[in-house]
Amino acid sequence: MRNKSIFILGIICAILLVGCAYFCINRYAKIEEFQSGEWLYLLNKKEKTASIENYNGLEENLNISEVVFKDDIEYKIIRIENCAFQENKNIRSIVIPNTVIEIKDSAFYGCENLNKVVTREYLIECIWNWTGNDVNDNTITVYLKRIRKKIGND
């Protein structure tokens, strides 16, 4: 009876081990690093999403793109990873797109000169404050496009 219990427990452990290995291989085999200029991304091929792993550029005013392309495939940027901008003394302001849904710990650690982080929600709030409540959503979209164009040109 005892040998039978040990045998069954061994089978269960083996099944769990195979399941965990399959999960890890399936999950992490789809993740790939991708360098584009000063940006290092983690691309999730399965979900078509990207994370900013590192930025080592000299720009003072950054405007994070909503997407990154690799081999004509679009990856939506949804995350800023731990220490992605760590110790970058050049960055003074950064615009984070609405697609970014997670900013991990210490993403901006040591960015001593960073004094302005702008999100889409902040821009919408500013537009509402500037224009009042008499403006419809289409007008706000036009304002956002103009602001995005201006930020991109500066």
Side-chain angles (χ1 to χ4, degrees), residues 92-149:
R92 297 192 181 286
S93 70
I94 189 165
V95 178
I96 300 173
N98 198 38
T99 58
V100 174
I101 57 174
E102 182 180 10
I103 300 174
K104 297 235 178 158
D105 294 338
S106 303
F108 300 100
Y109 177 80
C111 295
E112 296 171 356
N113 295 316
L114 179 62
N115 58 26
K116 189 173 194 177
V117 176
V118 179
T119 62
R120 184 175 187 272
E121 288 79 18
Y122 172 78
L123 290 175
I124 290 172
E125 182 180 320
C126 287
I127 291 168
W128 277 113
N129 290 338
W130 295 332
T131 61
N133 293 330
D134 299 328
V135 177
N136 64 30
D137 289 342
N138 290 335
T139 305
I140 288 183
T141 301
V142 169
Y143 276 112
L144 284 175
K145 286 182 180 178
R146 288 180 184 168
I147 290 170
R148 183 179 291 148
K149 192 173 189 179

Side-chain angles (χ1 to χ4, degrees), residues 32-47:
E32 172 186 331
E33 282 190 349
F34 172 62
Q35 183 83 37
S36 177
E38 300 95 3
W39 299 89
L40 178 63
Y41 300 98
L42 294 177
L43 304 179
N44 184 321
K45 292 181 168 187
K46 182 177 181 182
E47 297 175 8

